[in-house]
Amino acid sequence: MENSLLKSSSRPVANWILLGVFMLLVQVILGGITRLTGSGLSITEWNVVTGALPPLNNQQWITEFEKYKQTAQYNLLNNDFTLSNFKFIFFWEWFHRFWARMIGVVFIIGFIYLLIKKSLKQEMIIPLIILFLIGAMQGTIGWIMVKSGFDVDSIYVKPTKLALHFIFALGLICYALWFALQLIIPPVQIVRNNSLRKLTWFIIFILFFQLLYGALMAGHKAANAAPTWPTINGDFFPPALFKLSPAILNFINNKITVHFMHRGLAYLLFILVLIWTFKMYKLSSLSDYLKKSKTIPLLIVCTQILLGITAVLSSPQIIPNHWGIFEWIAELHQITGMLFLLIMIYMLYIIRPAKH
């Protein structure tokens, strides 16, 4: 199927899909900014059509502000907010939702245009419809996440639902990227190696949990629960790792355990990528694409770890509703995490099992 897609596809289809990948990455970045600015609960309703426009006059702004005043976040955390403060957090949540709508518009218009131009072949239609449906489902998951923050005792969204929203977004991006790779990677660039293929899969498997724990870290605001390195508040194995009962809850709801897992998986990934890079250099023949990109995973994972350490050490400087050094580092940390995932998906596409 992949060879058929490559031979029959036009460049506009590939460009359209890659534009979608880019827009999805921007959407996740906007989600990170929305979270770091505490903006996620500023819009209390999910109006798919009418919500596309922000308030257009002072009375509409006051109406939206009054709705926000009914939330626990306002009453317990932001009850000193002025209308100006509210407008700031409203903007980021609105822009995050607006960008999601724009992704849908770009997809639908592009799909119709390429269909009319006969650039879309029969074997492309079903995967593209699946892609659209996953995107629509992601919007629904996003609203479920937001609603979890409107409980009477909540001032933020539930960490587990934030993690689900984040992981689902990454899955959507990977699906779109894989489709694009089918259109643009010529068969001559494929490398056959069973050992590297299995290791690439294993790295992606561990990376899935690493990114999941990164989202839980963000959801629990867990960075400053242990603002030390290399130890976690003076211990390599903190005594509070299993303070919750049953023990399984610690891996989801215990900030220290979440912190411990996120760090441990980072070290494991560094070792695995180091081995992967060593194996790559031992190969006698590489395709041109692999020659140019074989060191990128190691560079990204090293950058990711350094950003993570810097974020933890700068977390005591966090000031609520203020964008500072921690927020910049945390956002860069998220971006490099996404790039790491995408480069490994790219490697998985190029490195295939050996033919028997």
Side-chain angles (χ1 to χ4, degrees), residues 33-103:
I33 295 173
T34 300
R35 173 182 56 80
L36 289 166
T37 55
S39 305
L41 301 180
S42 59
I43 302 178
T44 59
E45 298 170 339
W46 189 30
N47 298 316
V48 178
V49 178
T50 57
L53 293 176
L56 300 177
N57 56 55
N58 193 59
Q59 184 54 52
Q60 289 181 356
W61 275 114
I62 291 173
T63 299
E64 292 300 321
F65 193 21
E66 289 301 320
K67 293 176 184 177
Y68 178 65
K69 286 181 178 179
Q70 306 307 309
T71 67
Q73 186 183 73
Y74 172 81
N75 288 291
L76 299 176
L77 185 67
N78 294 332
N79 53 26
D80 60 340
F81 261 29
T82 64
L83 183 59
S84 177
N85 297 135
F86 173 69
K87 286 181 178 181
F88 174 78
I89 62 171
F90 187 98
F91 168 78
W92 285 112
E93 175 64 8
W94 172 82
F95 191 42
H96 183 49
R97 298 188 190 192
F98 174 78
W99 193 262
R101 290 181 174 93
M102 289 302 299
I103 293 172

Side-chain angles (χ1 to χ4, degrees), residues 41 142-151 157 161:
L41 301 180
W143 176 243
I144 292 172
M145 176 196 71
V146 170
K147 279 191 68 176
S148 73
F150 293 138
D151 294 344
V157 300
K161 290 184 170 61

Side-chain angles (χ1 to χ4, degrees), residues 218-229:
H220 283 297
K221 316 291 183 185
N224 59 0
T228 59
W229 187 84

Side-chain angles (χ1 to χ4, degrees), residues 107-256:
F107 182 91
I108 292 172
I109 291 176
F111 185 83
I112 294 172
Y113 173 78
L114 292 169
L115 202 59
I116 293 173
K117 299 290 287 185
K118 301 189 185 315
S119 296
L120 295 178
K121 305 307 176 183
Q122 187 64 40
E123 58 268 35
M124 298 179 184
I125 304 299
I126 292 179
L128 287 172
I129 291 175
I130 292 173
L131 180 63
F132 178 76
L133 292 176
I134 294 174
M137 191 182 300
Q138 170 67 349
T140 304
I141 292 172
W143 176 243
I144 292 172
M145 176 196 71
V146 170
K147 279 191 68 176
S148 73
F150 293 138
D151 294 344
V152 293
D153 59 345
S154 296
I155 59 174
Y156 297 112
V157 300
K158 295 291 187 289
T160 49
K161 290 184 170 61
L162 173 67
L164 177 64
H165 188 49
F166 179 62
I167 291 298
F168 211 88
L170 294 181
L172 179 61
I173 293 171
C174 290
Y175 185 95
L177 177 64
W178 191 272
F179 190 90
L181 292 175
Q182 292 178 310
L183 301 174
I184 61 179
I185 302 293
V188 70
Q189 298 297 336
I190 300 299
V191 171
R192 303 281 176 178
N193 187 289
N194 287 334
S195 176
L196 262 177
R197 171 79 173 186
K198 291 176 182 177
L199 184 55
T200 304
W201 262 120
F202 188 56
I203 290 172
I204 292 173
F205 175 75
I206 298 299
L207 181 55
F208 167 82
F209 287 99
Q210 169 69 343
L211 292 167
L212 179 66
Y213 271 101
L216 288 174
M217 282 277 291
H220 283 297
K221 316 291 183 185
N224 59 0
T228 59
W229 187 84
T231 65
I232 298 177
N233 292 334
D235 297 294
F236 285 102
F237 296 94
L241 278 178
F242 296 102
K243 68 178 182 180
L244 300 182
S245 182
I248 191 68
L249 287 179
N250 289 281
F251 292 96
I252 301 171
N253 294 329
N254 185 337
K255 291 184 181 183
I256 294 299

